[in-house]
Amino acid sequence: MSDALITAAHKGTQKSVRRATTLRIRDFIVLISCFAAVLLLLLVTGSIGVIEALAALIAAGAVAAAYYVGSATVLPPSAAADGVPANAAPGPSTASIPLKALPLPAFEIDLDERIVAFNAEAEDILRLDNRVRPRASTVIRSPSLLSAIDKAIHTQVDAPLAVEVDAGPNETWRAHVSRPVDTGRVLIVLEDLTPLRRAARARSDFIANASHELRTPLTALSGFIETMRGPAKDDKESWGRFLDIMAVESERMSRLISDLLSLSRIESSEQVAPRDQVDIQNIIVSGAAALEGFADERGIRLEVSGTSDPLLVIGNRDELIQVVENLISNAIKYCRKDGAVRVTYGFATDTVEARARAGQAWEGSERMTLLQSVNRPGPGEPAVWVRVEDEGPGIERQHLPRLGERFYRTDQSRGGKITGTGLGLAIVKHIMAHHRGGMAVETVMDKGSAFGVWLPAMRAKTDAA
Ligand SMILES: Nc1ncnc2c1ncn2[C@@H]1O[C@H](COP(=O)(O)OP(=O)(O)OP(=O)(O)O)[C@@H](O)[C@H]1O
Ligand SMILES: [Mg+2]
């Protein structure tokens, strides 16, 4: 596309240069002829002498020559010999119109290796200045790109050369270097590969983590099977203990697999907005009831308080049940023995209030918004919020930004016992994003942690909580 445009522009330029030159020569001849005719008339009638006539002719010739030379300097830039005036600064000029049409950063280099044209995207990336025509080697650091440019300048390249450019840690670009026919310029188009590379790395990290997490219980299971078949074959008394551990490990494996399936289901439905009318109040009350037994087992009081009116949202019931259950089960799991877990919820007039209610209630706490809700433009949108507080050890500040990352566990880094898969909060975060909601955490060491979520409500209502 760009080659064709540049070639057409170049041919048009050559034509207009020829026409302008012809006009200048014609004007020069007409001017001199008029002067000569007037002088001849004056000479014949005896009004002036031969010497005066010759002097006047020389003066007229000088004026005509000055006009001829002067008219060359007022030619429009597009009429200059190579399409770029010799003293022109680079930038988005006439010659770079095709570059402007490119959605990617693009620039052109002349055969003296100077950058002579670029579009706005390239201007930002290469920090170019409209007033100077820098040498490519002063702006470009990548040896592979410089050598591709050199090759394109010194040998005609038919197809664009593609080179990868490392532009710093975790940043990769691909440069397409071509030499459009007849232009005397090299065209470089840059393509940002960073998002693709990042996605590929995230995918491979995820697979590595998931395989590692699955291998741990599997190794334990196969170890016990070996033991029961070999050294402990006749030690029937130990079998009961082994089978208990095996049951725990296989339960852990099946929980991991169901969490992974949940995550992948949520991710695949991310583009489809939830459509059902759901009552959050009902979900919280039934979710808490389902976890009552787990709380009792650990000697933990589970207190639920909030409005008894329905809290209607547009959402996916199964997903919102997972949010509530994950947050309450975490609170029970990490709460100190005999402590209390408090679940509160209610309406808020807008997301600012909802976030404050959900995650900014304790004085002097460390706070972090883990997911910012996407607000619709216009006046504040009413929201429903849920807050789950525990009396646990609290979470150290440096862990806060990473909560919600898949497989991230803080107790692991403290050398504690691994108690979960590290997928619960990632699931919560994904579900809240799917509901255009938000998520926050606040924590005070040795006092406890509180996780809060909020999402748009179906209708405005004053909080009765
Ligand atoms: N209420 C809490 N108090 C203290 N730490 C918490 C709390 N909730 C989560 N965490 C920390 O965040 C980490 C991630 O939580 P997440 O729910 O994602 O995983 P998990 O509970 O370990 O496993 P599961 O996937 O079974 O839920 C936990 O391992 C824990 O270290
Ligand atoms: Mg959890």
Side-chain angles (χ1 to χ4, degrees), residues 261-390:
L261 288 174
S262 260
L263 256 183
S264 113
R265 216 173 19 245
I266 297 158
E267 276 180 344
S268 61
S269 68
E270 228 157 40
Q271 303 309 322
V272 188
R275 269 181 294 170
D276 302 337
Q277 181 176 309
V278 182
D279 177 11
I280 291 279
Q281 195 267 351
N282 173 276
I283 287 178
I284 293 168
V285 171
S286 50
L291 288 163
E292 197 76 59
F294 180 38
D296 282 349
E297 242 174 60
R298 306 208 60 235
I300 283 163
R301 264 176 299 123
L302 185 53
E303 302 169 2
V304 181
S305 59
T307 171
S308 50
D309 291 338
L311 292 173
L312 297 179
V313 299
I314 297 295
N316 178 312
R317 188 178 164 81
D318 291 343
E319 290 187 1
L320 292 170
I321 288 175
Q322 284 196 65
V323 168
V324 168
E325 291 194 348
N326 265 303
L327 293 183
I328 300 179
S329 71
N330 270 358
I332 297 173
K333 197 155 78 176
Y334 299 104
C335 190
R336 68 174 163 77
K337 269 213 168 319
D338 308 323
V341 167
R342 289 179 198 89
V343 183
T344 48
Y345 54 91
F347 266 112
T349 48
D350 57 23
T351 44
V352 177
E353 187 196 334
R355 188 174 60 193
R357 297 280 198 142
Q360 299 172 350
W362 288 339
E363 282 283 315
S365 60
E366 292 288 351
R367 295 170 182 171
M368 176 126 320
T369 301
L370 301 172
L371 175 72
Q372 200 86 49
S373 50
V374 184
N375 294 325
R376 287 226 169 87
E381 200 173 9
V384 165
W385 57 271
V386 183
R387 175 180 168 93
V388 183
E389 287 177 15
D390 63 51

Side-chain angles (χ1 to χ4, degrees), residues 47-383:
S47 307
I48 53 169
V50 178
I51 302 293
E52 289 96 314
L54 275 177
L57 192 62
I58 289 166
V63 170
Y67 161 76
Y68 182 82
V69 173
S71 64
T73 62
V74 295
L75 278 177
S78 60
D82 62 356
V84 183
N87 56 354
S93 64
T94 325
S96 67
I97 286 170
L99 298 188
K100 274 189 193 167
L102 290 174
L104 299 171
F107 57 101
E108 288 177 322
I109 291 178
D110 68 6
L111 300 185
D112 287 332
E113 295 181 26
R114 289 191 181 277
I115 297 179
V116 286
F118 50 83
N119 61 11
E121 288 82 0
E123 184 175 1
D124 289 344
I125 288 167
L126 300 174
R127 294 194 192 88
L128 292 168
D129 185 335
N130 267 338
R131 288 155 303 173
V132 284
R133 302 168 64 184
R135 277 200 171 277
S137 53
T138 61
V139 174
I140 298 163
R141 299 268 176 274
S142 159
S144 53
L145 178 54
L146 287 171
S147 88
I149 291 171
D150 192 58
K151 191 167 170 197
I153 288 175
H154 296 107
T155 53
Q156 195 77 35
V157 286
D158 298 331
L161 300 167
V163 281
E164 276 195 15
V165 180
D166 282 327
N170 307 323
E171 205 181 322
T172 312
W173 290 78
R174 181 180 289 142
H176 302 270
V177 181
S178 58
R179 167 99 177 262
V181 203
D182 291 344
T183 57
R185 290 180 177 198
V186 173
L187 172 69
I188 295 111
V189 180
L190 298 173
E191 182 191 357
D192 191 358
L193 300 182
T194 314
L196 286 177
R197 291 285 151 86
R198 205 171 287 155
R201 202 173 311 126
R203 214 169 24 244
S204 74
D205 284 355
F206 175 69
I207 291 169
N209 277 327
S211 327
H212 173 78
E213 295 295 327
L214 281 169
R215 214 170 37 224
T216 313
L218 196 60
T219 310
L221 280 175
S222 47
F224 281 111
I225 293 171
E226 285 294 298
T227 314
M228 288 165 82
R229 275 176 160 175
K233 199 158 75 181
D234 303 318
D235 182 7
K236 300 280 189 250
E237 276 160 30
S238 310
W239 277 31
R241 194 164 44 85
F242 292 163
L243 286 171
D244 284 349
I245 302 172
M246 288 166 77
V248 169
E249 292 299 331
S250 67
E251 202 257 321
R252 178 169 148 73
M253 257 177 98
S254 76
R255 208 174 58 235
L256 181 64
I257 289 167
S258 82
D259 279 355
L260 285 171
L261 288 174
S262 260
L263 256 183
S264 113
R265 216 173 19 245
I266 297 158
E267 276 180 344
S268 61
S269 68
E270 228 157 40
Q271 303 309 322
V272 188
R275 269 181 294 170
D276 302 337
Q277 181 176 309
V278 182
D279 177 11
I280 291 279
Q281 195 267 351
N282 173 276
I283 287 178
I284 293 168
V285 171
S286 50
L291 288 163
E292 197 76 59
F294 180 38
D296 282 349
E297 242 174 60
R298 306 208 60 235
I300 283 163
R301 264 176 299 123
L302 185 53
E303 302 169 2
V304 181
S305 59
T307 171
S308 50
D309 291 338
L311 292 173
L312 297 179
V313 299
I314 297 295
N316 178 312
R317 188 178 164 81
D318 291 343
E319 290 187 1
L320 292 170
I321 288 175
Q322 284 196 65
V323 168
V324 168
E325 291 194 348
N326 265 303
L327 293 183
I328 300 179
S329 71
N330 270 358
I332 297 173
K333 197 155 78 176
Y334 299 104
C335 190
R336 68 174 163 77
K337 269 213 168 319
D338 308 323
V341 167
R342 289 179 198 89
V343 183
T344 48
Y345 54 91
F347 266 112
T349 48
D350 57 23
T351 44
V352 177
E353 187 196 334
R355 188 174 60 193
R357 297 280 198 142
Q360 299 172 350
W362 288 339
E363 282 283 315
S365 60
E366 292 288 351
R367 295 170 182 171
M368 176 126 320
T369 301
L370 301 172
L371 175 72
Q372 200 86 49
S373 50
V374 184
N375 294 325
R376 287 226 169 87
E381 200 173 9

